[in-house]
Amino acid sequence: MAALLRRYGVGARWYDVLSGERWVYRAGREAGIRLLDPRPGDTVIDLGCGTGLNFAGLVAAVGPTGRVIGIDRSSDMLAVARRRIVAAGWHDVVTLVEADAATLDPAALRAAAGGRGADAVFSTYALSVIPARDEAWRRACAAVRPGGRAGIVDMQRPRGRWRVLEPLALLACATGGADIDAHPWRLLERDAADSRGIARAERKGGHLVAVAGELSPSVTG
Ligand SMILES: C[S@@+](CC[C@H](N)C(=O)[O-])C[C@H]1O[C@@H](n2cnc3c(N)ncnc32)[C@H](O)[C@@H]1O
């Protein structure tokens, strides 16, 4: 089962149940969307969107005039995401792109975002899975308009008295193929317009870290 989930292939159909979403990981994505604070009408790129567990929160924020562009390289994860879109009637708001984020053409992504660039990029529990995370991040940011925002939610080892849960956190990350020590929120700390302007929240004993802030014009398109 671990290998199935890690490849995000045929294990996709069990992802929502086996990923610990209800008890652990939902808290991180909710904190991340709150910090990102997408506005009605915004276009948000969901990098490594998986089965679309961010869509409900993002669609609620951007509204019927906004857009959510979900990118993932796993056709099986996107098949689950597509079923979610159909069931919720989000066809006019959510678009799916099957692509490797590390080789994605930012110009094509800008075009998908309506030409002027997306208003924000958001990524939850995906950058720690992508070995070429720096490149994936760079390309996604290049599809964001100047002045746009970014949010990252990912994992680290639990802290303080929660350290007793470290073996469980390590197991969850190993099952999903995530590097628990990658700390991908550092990409935003490096590329923010003002690192002091980054909002941060931690959940589940520090295991989940959510950050959001405005991107530097040096990394946007
Ligand atoms: C742990 S899942 C997270 C999914 C979703 N963001 C969530 O919060 O539930 C990691 C996702 O990253 C995707 N992924 C891994 N490497 C990728 C790459 N190079 N390009 C695009 N997606 C990738 C996987 O297919 C998988 O759907």
Side-chain angles (χ1 to χ4, degrees), residues 41-63:
D42 275 359
T43 295
V44 180
I45 296 168
D46 185 347
L47 189 66
C49 67
T51 62
L53 288 170
N54 292 325
F55 293 168
L58 292 175
V59 170
V62 303

mmCIF file with all atom_site columns, all heavy atoms in Angstrom, residues 41-63:
data_model
loop_
_atom_site.group_PDB
_atom_site.id
_atom_site.type_symbol
_atom_site.label_atom_id
_atom_site.label_alt_id
_atom_site.label_comp_id
_atom_site.label_asym_id
_atom_site.label_entity_id
_atom_site.label_seq_id
_atom_site.pdbx_PDB_ins_code
_atom_site.Cartn_x
_atom_site.Cartn_y
_atom_site.Cartn_z
_atom_site.occupancy
_atom_site.B_iso_or_equiv
_atom_site.pdbx_formal_charge
_atom_site.auth_seq_id
_atom_site.auth_comp_id
_atom_site.auth_asym_id
_atom_site.auth_atom_id
_atom_site.pdbx_PDB_model_num
ATOM 1   N N   . GLY A 1 41 ? -12.971 36.401 -7.561  1.00 0.00 ? 41 GLY A N   1
ATOM 2   C CA  . GLY A 1 41 ? -12.477 36.746 -8.899  1.00 0.00 ? 41 GLY A CA  1
ATOM 3   C C   . GLY A 1 41 ? -11.031 36.367 -9.138  1.00 0.00 ? 41 GLY A C   1
ATOM 4   O O   . GLY A 1 41 ? -10.549 36.431 -10.280 1.00 0.00 ? 41 GLY A O   1
ATOM 5   N N   . ASP A 1 42 ? -10.307 35.971 -8.092  1.00 0.00 ? 42 ASP A N   1
ATOM 6   C CA  . ASP A 1 42 ? -8.892  35.607 -8.247  1.00 0.00 ? 42 ASP A CA  1
ATOM 7   C C   . ASP A 1 42 ? -8.728  34.308 -9.032  1.00 0.00 ? 42 ASP A C   1
ATOM 8   O O   . ASP A 1 42 ? -9.608  33.437 -9.023  1.00 0.00 ? 42 ASP A O   1
ATOM 9   C CB  . ASP A 1 42 ? -8.233  35.397 -6.876  1.00 0.00 ? 42 ASP A CB  1
ATOM 10  C CG  . ASP A 1 42 ? -7.737  36.696 -6.257  1.00 0.00 ? 42 ASP A CG  1
ATOM 11  O OD1 . ASP A 1 42 ? -7.891  37.767 -6.893  1.00 0.00 ? 42 ASP A OD1 1
ATOM 12  O OD2 . ASP A 1 42 ? -7.199  36.641 -5.129  1.00 0.00 ? 42 ASP A OD2 1
ATOM 13  N N   . THR A 1 43 ? -7.553  34.198 -9.652  1.00 0.00 ? 43 THR A N   1
ATOM 14  C CA  . THR A 1 43 ? -7.126  32.935 -10.254 1.00 0.00 ? 43 THR A CA  1
ATOM 15  C C   . THR A 1 43 ? -5.998  32.370 -9.402  1.00 0.00 ? 43 THR A C   1
ATOM 16  O O   . THR A 1 43 ? -4.995  33.052 -9.168  1.00 0.00 ? 43 THR A O   1
ATOM 17  C CB  . THR A 1 43 ? -6.630  33.156 -11.698 1.00 0.00 ? 43 THR A CB  1
ATOM 18  O OG1 . THR A 1 43 ? -7.733  33.593 -12.493 1.00 0.00 ? 43 THR A OG1 1
ATOM 19  C CG2 . THR A 1 43 ? -6.057  31.876 -12.289 1.00 0.00 ? 43 THR A CG2 1
ATOM 20  N N   . VAL A 1 44 ? -6.182  31.134 -8.921  1.00 0.00 ? 44 VAL A N   1
ATOM 21  C CA  . VAL A 1 44 ? -5.200  30.502 -8.031  1.00 0.00 ? 44 VAL A CA  1
ATOM 22  C C   . VAL A 1 44 ? -4.704  29.203 -8.661  1.00 0.00 ? 44 VAL A C   1
ATOM 23  O O   . VAL A 1 44 ? -5.505  28.353 -9.067  1.00 0.00 ? 44 VAL A O   1
ATOM 24  C CB  . VAL A 1 44 ? -5.817  30.190 -6.641  1.00 0.00 ? 44 VAL A CB  1
ATOM 25  C CG1 . VAL A 1 44 ? -4.782  29.536 -5.729  1.00 0.00 ? 44 VAL A CG1 1
ATOM 26  C CG2 . VAL A 1 44 ? -6.363  31.457 -5.993  1.00 0.00 ? 44 VAL A CG2 1
ATOM 27  N N   . ILE A 1 45 ? -3.386  29.059 -8.748  1.00 0.00 ? 45 ILE A N   1
ATOM 28  C CA  . ILE A 1 45 ? -2.778  27.801 -9.204  1.00 0.00 ? 45 ILE A CA  1
ATOM 29  C C   . ILE A 1 45 ? -2.610  26.901 -7.986  1.00 0.00 ? 45 ILE A C   1
ATOM 30  O O   . ILE A 1 45 ? -2.015  27.310 -6.982  1.00 0.00 ? 45 ILE A O   1
ATOM 31  C CB  . ILE A 1 45 ? -1.391  28.070 -9.842  1.00 0.00 ? 45 ILE A CB  1
ATOM 32  C CG1 . ILE A 1 45 ? -1.533  28.911 -11.104 1.00 0.00 ? 45 ILE A CG1 1
ATOM 33  C CG2 . ILE A 1 45 ? -0.670  26.745 -10.126 1.00 0.00 ? 45 ILE A CG2 1
ATOM 34  C CD1 . ILE A 1 45 ? -0.208  29.459 -11.620 1.00 0.00 ? 45 ILE A CD1 1
ATOM 35  N N   . ASP A 1 46 ? -3.126  25.673 -8.087  1.00 0.00 ? 46 ASP A N   1
ATOM 36  C CA  . ASP A 1 46 ? -2.962  24.681 -7.010  1.00 0.00 ? 46 ASP A CA  1
ATOM 37  C C   . ASP A 1 46 ? -1.908  23.677 -7.499  1.00 0.00 ? 46 ASP A C   1
ATOM 38  O O   . ASP A 1 46 ? -2.212  22.775 -8.284  1.00 0.00 ? 46 ASP A O   1
ATOM 39  C CB  . ASP A 1 46 ? -4.310  24.006 -6.719  1.00 0.00 ? 46 ASP A CB  1
ATOM 40  C CG  . ASP A 1 46 ? -4.244  23.059 -5.525  1.00 0.00 ? 46 ASP A CG  1
ATOM 41  O OD1 . ASP A 1 46 ? -3.129  22.739 -5.069  1.00 0.00 ? 46 ASP A OD1 1
ATOM 42  O OD2 . ASP A 1 46 ? -5.320  22.630 -5.059  1.00 0.00 ? 46 ASP A OD2 1
ATOM 43  N N   . LEU A 1 47 ? -0.676  23.865 -7.043  1.00 0.00 ? 47 LEU A N   1
ATOM 44  C CA  . LEU A 1 47 ? 0.475   23.102 -7.545  1.00 0.00 ? 47 LEU A CA  1
ATOM 45  C C   . LEU A 1 47 ? 0.547   21.735 -6.856  1.00 0.00 ? 47 LEU A C   1
ATOM 46  O O   . LEU A 1 47 ? 0.691   21.666 -5.641  1.00 0.00 ? 47 LEU A O   1
ATOM 47  C CB  . LEU A 1 47 ? 1.740   23.911 -7.254  1.00 0.00 ? 47 LEU A CB  1
ATOM 48  C CG  . LEU A 1 47 ? 3.049   23.425 -7.863  1.00 0.00 ? 47 LEU A CG  1
ATOM 49  C CD1 . LEU A 1 47 ? 3.015   23.526 -9.382  1.00 0.00 ? 47 LEU A CD1 1
ATOM 50  C CD2 . LEU A 1 47 ? 4.220   24.236 -7.319  1.00 0.00 ? 47 LEU A CD2 1
ATOM 51  N N   . GLY A 1 48 ? 0.467   20.669 -7.647  1.00 0.00 ? 48 GLY A N   1
ATOM 52  C CA  . GLY A 1 48 ? 0.430   19.314 -7.068  1.00 0.00 ? 48 GLY A CA  1
ATOM 53  C C   . GLY A 1 48 ? -0.901  19.091 -6.379  1.00 0.00 ? 48 GLY A C   1
ATOM 54  O O   . GLY A 1 48 ? -0.963  18.639 -5.242  1.00 0.00 ? 48 GLY A O   1
ATOM 55  N N   . CYS A 1 49 ? -1.980  19.394 -7.115  1.00 0.00 ? 49 CYS A N   1
ATOM 56  C CA  . CYS A 1 49 ? -3.332  19.446 -6.513  1.00 0.00 ? 49 CYS A CA  1
ATOM 57  C C   . CYS A 1 49 ? -3.848  18.092 -6.060  1.00 0.00 ? 49 CYS A C   1
ATOM 58  O O   . CYS A 1 49 ? -4.768  18.016 -5.248  1.00 0.00 ? 49 CYS A O   1
ATOM 59  C CB  . CYS A 1 49 ? -4.324  20.076 -7.475  1.00 0.00 ? 49 CYS A CB  1
ATOM 60  S SG  . CYS A 1 49 ? -4.613  19.060 -8.954  1.00 0.00 ? 49 CYS A SG  1
ATOM 61  N N   . GLY A 1 50 ? -3.266  16.998 -6.586  1.00 0.00 ? 50 GLY A N   1
ATOM 62  C CA  . GLY A 1 50 ? -3.722  15.670 -6.192  1.00 0.00 ? 50 GLY A CA  1
ATOM 63  C C   . GLY A 1 50 ? -5.183  15.455 -6.501  1.00 0.00 ? 50 GLY A C   1
ATOM 64  O O   . GLY A 1 50 ? -5.666  15.754 -7.603  1.00 0.00 ? 50 GLY A O   1
ATOM 65  N N   . THR A 1 51 ? -5.923  14.942 -5.528  1.00 0.00 ? 51 THR A N   1
ATOM 66  C CA  . THR A 1 51 ? -7.343  14.620 -5.725  1.00 0.00 ? 51 THR A CA  1
ATOM 67  C C   . THR A 1 51 ? -8.247  15.845 -5.553  1.00 0.00 ? 51 THR A C   1
ATOM 68  O O   . THR A 1 51 ? -9.469  15.711 -5.593  1.00 0.00 ? 51 THR A O   1
ATOM 69  C CB  . THR A 1 51 ? -7.796  13.531 -4.738  1.00 0.00 ? 51 THR A CB  1
ATOM 70  O OG1 . THR A 1 51 ? -7.650  14.054 -3.404  1.00 0.00 ? 51 THR A OG1 1
ATOM 71  C CG2 . THR A 1 51 ? -6.964  12.266 -4.871  1.00 0.00 ? 51 THR A CG2 1
ATOM 72  N N   . GLY A 1 52 ? -7.652  17.009 -5.318  1.00 0.00 ? 52 GLY A N   1
ATOM 73  C CA  . GLY A 1 52 ? -8.449  18.229 -5.248  1.00 0.00 ? 52 GLY A CA  1
ATOM 74  C C   . GLY A 1 52 ? -9.004  18.563 -3.875  1.00 0.00 ? 52 GLY A C   1
ATOM 75  O O   . GLY A 1 52 ? -10.034 19.237 -3.753  1.00 0.00 ? 52 GLY A O   1
ATOM 76  N N   . LEU A 1 53 ? -8.271  18.153 -2.835  1.00 0.00 ? 53 LEU A N   1
ATOM 77  C CA  . LEU A 1 53 ? -8.780  18.421 -1.482  1.00 0.00 ? 53 LEU A CA  1
ATOM 78  C C   . LEU A 1 53 ? -8.760  19.915 -1.126  1.00 0.00 ? 53 LEU A C   1
ATOM 79  O O   . LEU A 1 53 ? -9.423  20.328 -0.182  1.00 0.00 ? 53 LEU A O   1
ATOM 80  C CB  . LEU A 1 53 ? -7.981  17.612 -0.451  1.00 0.00 ? 53 LEU A CB  1
ATOM 81  C CG  . LEU A 1 53 ? -8.278  16.103 -0.470  1.00 0.00 ? 53 LEU A CG  1
ATOM 82  C CD1 . LEU A 1 53 ? -7.271  15.339 0.390   1.00 0.00 ? 53 LEU A CD1 1
ATOM 83  C CD2 . LEU A 1 53 ? -9.699  15.818 0.005   1.00 0.00 ? 53 LEU A CD2 1
ATOM 84  N N   . ASN A 1 54 ? -8.031  20.720 -1.893  1.00 0.00 ? 54 ASN A N   1
ATOM 85  C CA  . ASN A 1 54 ? -8.060  22.176 -1.639  1.00 0.00 ? 54 ASN A CA  1
ATOM 86  C C   . ASN A 1 54 ? -9.208  22.873 -2.357  1.00 0.00 ? 54 ASN A C   1
ATOM 87  O O   . ASN A 1 54 ? -9.488  24.048 -2.076  1.00 0.00 ? 54 ASN A O   1
ATOM 88  C CB  . ASN A 1 54 ? -6.760  22.833 -2.126  1.00 0.00 ? 54 ASN A CB  1
ATOM 89  C CG  . ASN A 1 54 ? -5.567  22.436 -1.305  1.00 0.00 ? 54 ASN A CG  1
ATOM 90  O OD1 . ASN A 1 54 ? -5.682  22.251 -0.092  1.00 0.00 ? 54 ASN A OD1 1
ATOM 91  N ND2 . ASN A 1 54 ? -4.410  22.318 -1.942  1.00 0.00 ? 54 ASN A ND2 1
ATOM 92  N N   . PHE A 1 55 ? -9.827  22.185 -3.311  1.00 0.00 ? 55 PHE A N   1
ATOM 93  C CA  . PHE A 1 55 ? -10.746 22.887 -4.206  1.00 0.00 ? 55 PHE A CA  1
ATOM 94  C C   . PHE A 1 55 ? -11.916 23.534 -3.468  1.00 0.00 ? 55 PHE A C   1
ATOM 95  O O   . PHE A 1 55 ? -12.281 24.673 -3.778  1.00 0.00 ? 55 PHE A O   1
ATOM 96  C CB  . PHE A 1 55 ? -11.278 21.944 -5.291  1.00 0.00 ? 55 PHE A CB  1
ATOM 97  C CG  . PHE A 1 55 ? -10.236 21.474 -6.278  1.00 0.00 ? 55 PHE A CG  1
ATOM 98  C CD1 . PHE A 1 55 ? -10.530 20.434 -7.153  1.00 0.00 ? 55 PHE A CD1 1
ATOM 99  C CD2 . PHE A 1 55 ? -8.975  22.049 -6.345  1.00 0.00 ? 55 PHE A CD2 1
ATOM 100 C CE1 . PHE A 1 55 ? -9.584  19.985 -8.071  1.00 0.00 ? 55 PHE A CE1 1
ATOM 101 C CE2 . PHE A 1 55 ? -8.019  21.605 -7.251  1.00 0.00 ? 55 PHE A CE2 1
ATOM 102 C CZ  . PHE A 1 55 ? -8.333  20.563 -8.114  1.00 0.00 ? 55 PHE A CZ  1
ATOM 103 N N   . ALA A 1 56 ? -12.505 22.830 -2.508  1.00 0.00 ? 56 ALA A N   1
ATOM 104 C CA  . ALA A 1 56 ? -13.687 23.399 -1.840  1.00 0.00 ? 56 ALA A CA  1
ATOM 105 C C   . ALA A 1 56 ? -13.349 24.739 -1.197  1.00 0.00 ? 56 ALA A C   1
ATOM 106 O O   . ALA A 1 56 ? -14.081 25.724 -1.359  1.00 0.00 ? 56 ALA A O   1
ATOM 107 C CB  . ALA A 1 56 ? -14.226 22.424 -0.801  1.00 0.00 ? 56 ALA A CB  1
ATOM 108 N N   . GLY A 1 57 ? -12.216 24.789 -0.495  1.00 0.00 ? 57 GLY A N   1
ATOM 109 C CA  . GLY A 1 57 ? -11.817 26.034 0.171   1.00 0.00 ? 57 GLY A CA  1
ATOM 110 C C   . GLY A 1 57 ? -11.458 27.124 -0.819  1.00 0.00 ? 57 GLY A C   1
ATOM 111 O O   . GLY A 1 57 ? -11.813 28.296 -0.638  1.00 0.00 ? 57 GLY A O   1
ATOM 112 N N   . LEU A 1 58 ? -10.762 26.727 -1.889  1.00 0.00 ? 58 LEU A N   1
ATOM 113 C CA  . LEU A 1 58 ? -10.342 27.733 -2.878  1.00 0.00 ? 58 LEU A CA  1
ATOM 114 C C   . LEU A 1 58 ? -11.537 28.250 -3.675  1.00 0.00 ? 58 LEU A C   1
ATOM 115 O O   . LEU A 1 58 ? -11.666 29.461 -3.909  1.00 0.00 ? 58 LEU A O   1
ATOM 116 C CB  . LEU A 1 58 ? -9.287  27.143 -3.823  1.00 0.00 ? 58 LEU A CB  1
ATOM 117 C CG  . LEU A 1 58 ? -7.928  26.833 -3.181  1.00 0.00 ? 58 LEU A CG  1
ATOM 118 C CD1 . LEU A 1 58 ? -6.990  26.145 -4.181  1.00 0.00 ? 58 LEU A CD1 1
ATOM 119 C CD2 . LEU A 1 58 ? -7.268  28.089 -2.624  1.00 0.00 ? 58 LEU A CD2 1
ATOM 120 N N   . VAL A 1 59 ? -12.431 27.342 -4.073  1.00 0.00 ? 59 VAL A N   1
ATOM 121 C CA  . VAL A 1 59 ? -13.609 27.769 -4.847  1.00 0.00 ? 59 VAL A CA  1
ATOM 122 C C   . VAL A 1 59 ? -14.495 28.676 -3.992  1.00 0.00 ? 59 VAL A C   1
ATOM 123 O O   . VAL A 1 59 ? -15.028 29.681 -4.476  1.00 0.00 ? 59 VAL A O   1
ATOM 124 C CB  . VAL A 1 59 ? -14.395 26.547 -5.371  1.00 0.00 ? 59 VAL A CB  1
ATOM 125 C CG1 . VAL A 1 59 ? -15.737 26.974 -5.965  1.00 0.00 ? 59 VAL A CG1 1
ATOM 126 C CG2 . VAL A 1 59 ? -13.584 25.786 -6.421  1.00 0.00 ? 59 VAL A CG2 1
ATOM 127 N N   . ALA A 1 60 ? -14.634 28.346 -2.724  1.00 0.00 ? 60 ALA A N   1
ATOM 128 C CA  . ALA A 1 60 ? -15.450 29.190 -1.839  1.00 0.00 ? 60 ALA A CA  1
ATOM 129 C C   . ALA A 1 60 ? -14.859 30.602 -1.763  1.00 0.00 ? 60 ALA A C   1
ATOM 130 O O   . ALA A 1 60 ? -15.592 31.590 -1.678  1.00 0.00 ? 60 ALA A O   1
ATOM 131 C CB  . ALA A 1 60 ? -15.513 28.572 -0.440  1.00 0.00 ? 60 ALA A CB  1
ATOM 132 N N   . ALA A 1 61 ? -13.530 30.696 -1.820  1.00 0.00 ? 61 ALA A N   1
ATOM 133 C CA  . ALA A 1 61 ? -12.882 32.011 -1.705  1.00 0.00 ? 61 ALA A CA  1
ATOM 134 C C   . ALA A 1 61 ? -12.933 32.803 -3.015  1.00 0.00 ? 61 ALA A C   1
ATOM 135 O O   . ALA A 1 61 ? -13.218 33.999 -3.013  1.00 0.00 ? 61 ALA A O   1
ATOM 136 C CB  . ALA A 1 61 ? -11.427 31.828 -1.254  1.00 0.00 ? 61 ALA A CB  1
ATOM 137 N N   . VAL A 1 62 ? -12.652 32.151 -4.143  1.00 0.00 ? 62 VAL A N   1
ATOM 138 C CA  . VAL A 1 62 ? -12.573 32.912 -5.403  1.00 0.00 ? 62 VAL A CA  1
ATOM 139 C C   . VAL A 1 62 ? -13.956 33.132 -6.023  1.00 0.00 ? 62 VAL A C   1
ATOM 140 O O   . VAL A 1 62 ? -14.114 34.031 -6.859  1.00 0.00 ? 62 VAL A O   1
ATOM 141 C CB  . VAL A 1 62 ? -11.621 32.252 -6.431  1.00 0.00 ? 62 VAL A CB  1
ATOM 142 C CG1 . VAL A 1 62 ? -10.233 32.084 -5.835  1.00 0.00 ? 62 VAL A CG1 1
ATOM 143 C CG2 . VAL A 1 62 ? -12.155 30.921 -6.955  1.00 0.00 ? 62 VAL A CG2 1
ATOM 144 N N   . GLY A 1 63 ? -14.920 32.296 -5.648  1.00 0.00 ? 63 GLY A N   1
ATOM 145 C CA  . GLY A 1 63 ? -16.294 32.510 -6.126  1.00 0.00 ? 63 GLY A CA  1
ATOM 146 C C   . GLY A 1 63 ? -16.478 32.132 -7.581  1.00 0.00 ? 63 GLY A C   1
ATOM 147 O O   . GLY A 1 63 ? -15.546 31.678 -8.242  1.00 0.00 ? 63 GLY A O   1
#
